[in-house]
Amino acid sequence: MFLTLGLRVLSLSRTFSTSAVASFPKLKTHQGAKKRWKAISSGAFKRAKAGHSHLNVSKRPDRKNRLSQLAYSSPTQTAILKKAMPYS
C-alpha cells in the first residue's frame, strides 16, 4: 500500500526488526550439566559431591563430612561448562 503526497511516495508496509535474525541458531543447554552444576557470581560453577546418599554405614564420619561439602569447578572445567550452559 502506497500513499502519495506530492512528489513523495510513502510506504505503509510494516518493517520487521532484523535483530532476532543475528542470534540464530539458538544454543541448547546440556541437560546433564544443567542438573548437576549451578553458576555462581564469580563465573565459576558449584556442584554437590556424589556418594553421600546411601551406604553410609561403612564410611568414616570425616569422609561423610567431606562428601556433604560443595565442590567448585576448576578453570578448565569452567571453560567447558560455559560452552555447555551458555545462558547460565
Side-chain angles (χ1 to χ4, degrees):
M1 179 175 181
F2 294 100
L3 181 65
T4 58
L5 296 174
L7 298 175
R8 291 186 180 170
V9 176
L10 299 175
S11 173
L12 297 179
S13 64
R14 180 174 289 191
T15 58
F16 293 98
S17 173
T18 59
S19 62
V21 176
S23 65
F24 282 111
K26 292 181 181 178
L27 300 174
K28 291 189 176 183
T29 300
H30 190 279
Q31 297 302 300
K34 181 177 76 171
K35 293 171 187 176
R36 290 169 174 84
W37 295 90
K38 301 290 180 200
I40 57 177
S41 61
S42 67
F45 294 85
K46 67 178 181 179
R47 65 170 172 86
K49 291 186 180 177
H52 187 63
S53 297
H54 64 290
L55 301 176
N56 290 323
V57 176
S58 61
K59 295 174 187 167
R60 300 278 37 140
D62 59 339
R63 180 179 172 193
K64 288 188 279 188
N65 286 338
R66 279 196 310 271
L67 290 173
S68 67
Q69 295 173 352
L70 294 176
Y72 296 94
S73 62
S74 67
T76 306
Q77 285 176 326
T78 302
I80 295 169
L81 288 168
K82 284 186 178 182
K83 291 179 183 177
M85 299 194 302
Y87 303 108
S88 63

